[in-house]
Amino acid sequence: MNASAITSPAEEQRETDGTSPVNSYTEWELLEEVIVGVVDGARFPAWHVALEPVLPEGQVTTFQRQAGHPFPAECIELARQELEEFVHILEAEGVTVRRPTPQDQSQVFGAPGWSSTGLYCAMPRDVLLVVGNDIIECPLAWRSRYFEAAAYKPLMKEYFRQGARWSAAPKPQLTDEQFDPEWEANAKPGTIPLVVTEFEPTFDAADFTRCGRDIIAQKSNVTNEFGIEWLRRHLGDEFHIHLLEFNDTHPMHIDATLVPLAPGKLLVNPERVLEKPAIFKGWDMLPAPTPIIPDSHPLYMTSKWINMNILMLDEQRVIVERQDEPMIDAMKKWGFKPIPCNFRNFNSFGGSFHCATLDVRRRGTLQSYLV
Ligand code: ABU
């Protein structure tokens, strides 16, 4: 079957009129098409020093012991069911949902000097960054995620054929020089200790959040200054990348720290964002309610602040975790329309609605929203 035989009339129209199926500049414009991750086949990654600074307390020994083994089957099944509920909700709200092609995460792969097994294809937000009509493969710092973009290649080929730009950052070698095993001892006074070095550019897309011409970035245990500079030059003068630092001693991904909800509305983690960043002058800063996830609930790769990891369908509709009543109430109070979805079992795998998605197309054009 050739590619044109499986395109819908709307897609064929885009193919002929030159518009792109990939178009997204913000986190809040009307969502038309989204990729939702797949949790099937998820495995504890091969152990590597880069995991240690970002795992919750108590998980390091679990990850070391379980390296290369599947996550518990019942956890995967419960998370899979929640993803299906999420997909149904998105479709009922008029969003086209696409899914990656799961890979065999038990396969051993590598590069000179190292080998690993895989993790999952549950979090497209980390792997791919959409800026306008450009879909960018990110240079991930975790060895276990070296080939994670493979799960999205069929979609990227399709989008490219229909007019999207398709870019890839330089593939890092991920040799030992990329990581500092003594990251805490070696941190300069007054700086946040980070395990990733400046050897080659690395970044996860989830360390960036998009507000039109302005893109907010943080350095983290997977994103270095070299990676941020690569992206800055790649995007060119139309965009401004603002590097912010937060009160977070174990940073990895900005989307449980600082979440723009709509023009003028900024959701923040009150433990990590102690004062409003100057570039958000004139915006309302809304402190996220304290998470209510019980201590007994397994969270393998995230803090409880994953409750902030919501997905905007437009400037009003927002997907929030069904059991998170404080967040549902807060969203209503702030004038949004929360749509509840069960997702607590998916949270165990390190993300929520924002992590589990990649907004491929939102209606809208390039605008400025910040001072
Ligand atoms: N992408 C998940 C981030 C979780 C956290 O910062 O706690």
Side-chain angles (χ1 to χ4, degrees):
M1 193 188 290
N2 66 28
S4 60
I6 54 168
T7 52
S8 69
E11 287 164 341
E12 278 169 11
Q13 178 60 30
R14 277 195 295 278
E15 223 166 339
T16 52
D17 71 12
T19 57
S20 169
V22 173
N23 181 76
S24 181
Y25 290 103
T26 69
E27 307 292 337
W28 60 75
E29 286 166 296
L30 179 68
L31 185 62
E32 294 183 337
E33 180 160 332
V34 72
I35 300 174
V36 173
V38 168
V39 74
D40 306 64
R43 284 184 176 253
F44 288 94
W47 179 253
H48 183 246
V49 65
L51 303 174
E52 195 167 336
V54 294
L55 293 180
E57 223 177 313
Q59 289 296 343
V60 171
T61 47
T62 306
F63 272 67
Q64 286 172 334
R65 219 178 302 125
Q66 296 295 329
H69 292 284
F71 280 96
E74 63 277 19
C75 294
I76 293 178
E77 176 53 22
L78 290 168
R80 192 193 63 75
Q81 288 172 17
E82 291 178 346
L83 278 169
E84 293 315 308
E85 179 186 338
F86 182 35
V87 167
H88 287 310
I89 289 171
L90 288 167
E91 288 176 340
E93 294 294 327
V95 182
T96 299
V97 177
R98 311 299 302 272
R99 309 299 294 273
T101 308
Q103 311 292 300
D104 176 2
Q105 306 295 348
S106 72
Q107 282 190 9
V108 179
F109 53 81
W114 61 271
S115 63
S116 181
T117 50
L119 175 62
Y120 52 35
C121 57
M123 311 290 175
R125 185 68 60 183
D126 304 346
V127 185
L128 301 169
L129 179 64
V130 169
V131 180
N133 67 355
D134 194 3
I135 186 161
I136 304 165
E137 293 181 38
C138 298
L140 305 182
W142 281 14
R143 289 175 173 175
S144 54
R145 309 189 78 177
Y146 204 57
F147 289 112
E148 203 170 300
Y152 305 93
K153 294 281 183 184
L155 290 171
M156 287 189 285
K157 286 189 274 188
E158 180 190 315
Y159 293 141
F160 178 75
R161 287 191 180 110
Q162 292 168 12
R165 287 181 68 201
W166 176 11
S167 310
K171 195 91 178 147
Q173 300 170 87
L174 301 188
T175 53
D176 288 347
E177 293 97 323
Q178 192 72 59
F179 309 98
D180 180 0
E182 303 294 329
W183 73 94
E184 280 176 314
N186 289 341
K188 291 193 192 109
T191 65
I192 297 169
L194 298 175
V195 74
V196 76
T197 69
E198 295 292 335
F199 182 62
E200 288 183 74
T202 63
F203 61 86
D204 279 16
D207 275 318
F208 299 84
T209 192
R210 300 155 309 145
C211 300
R213 288 187 193 280
D214 297 284
I215 297 175
I216 319 305
Q218 69 166 2
K219 271 171 60 178
S220 79
N221 283 288
V222 290
T223 296
N224 58 18
E225 280 184 23
F226 210 170
I228 295 168
E229 182 56 24
W230 182 88
L231 185 65
R232 184 177 278 126
R233 289 196 210 170
H234 175 76
L235 295 178
D237 295 341
E238 273 187 318
F239 295 91
H240 308 290
I241 297 187
H242 306 267
L243 182 56
L244 298 188
E245 194 173 290
F246 305 103
N247 184 40
D248 183 358
T249 49
H250 300 87
M252 178 173 168
H253 302 163
I254 201 168
D255 52 1
T257 298
L258 182 101
V259 177
L261 300 172
K265 304 274 180 208
L266 182 67
L267 181 69
V268 297
N269 180 322
E271 288 183 355
R272 298 181 188 167
V273 183
L274 305 182
E275 58 186 54
K276 187 161 69 176
I279 50 169
F280 286 100
K281 188 170 167 221
W283 283 48
D284 294 335
M285 190 165 90
L286 311 168
T290 304
I292 54 159
I293 301 175
D295 289 342
S296 56
H297 186 74
L299 289 178
Y300 294 113
M301 286 187 272
T302 179
S303 73
K304 292 185 184 183
W305 287 106
I306 204 65
N307 72 332
M308 292 180 56
N309 196 261
I310 50 77
L311 181 72
M312 300 305 298
L313 303 190
D314 56 25
E315 291 185 17
Q316 291 223 298
R317 291 174 298 158
V318 54
I319 311 273
V320 295
E321 213 290 317
R322 192 181 294 279
Q323 297 179 65
D324 194 352
E325 286 175 14
M327 184 63 86
I328 292 171
D329 291 345
M331 287 294 172
K332 283 183 188 159
K333 192 173 114 200
W334 295 329
F336 296 98
K337 288 188 185 148
I339 302 171
C341 174
N342 288 300
F343 227 49
R344 191 170 274 179
N345 293 293
F346 184 86
N347 293 162
S348 298
F349 291 88
S352 200
F353 306 108
H354 192 256
C355 296
T357 52
L358 177 73
D359 42 324
V360 171
R361 196 171 62 260
R362 290 183 184 269
R363 202 169 288 169
T365 54
L366 184 57
Q367 313 263 343
S368 293
Y369 301 93
L370 304 186
V371 288

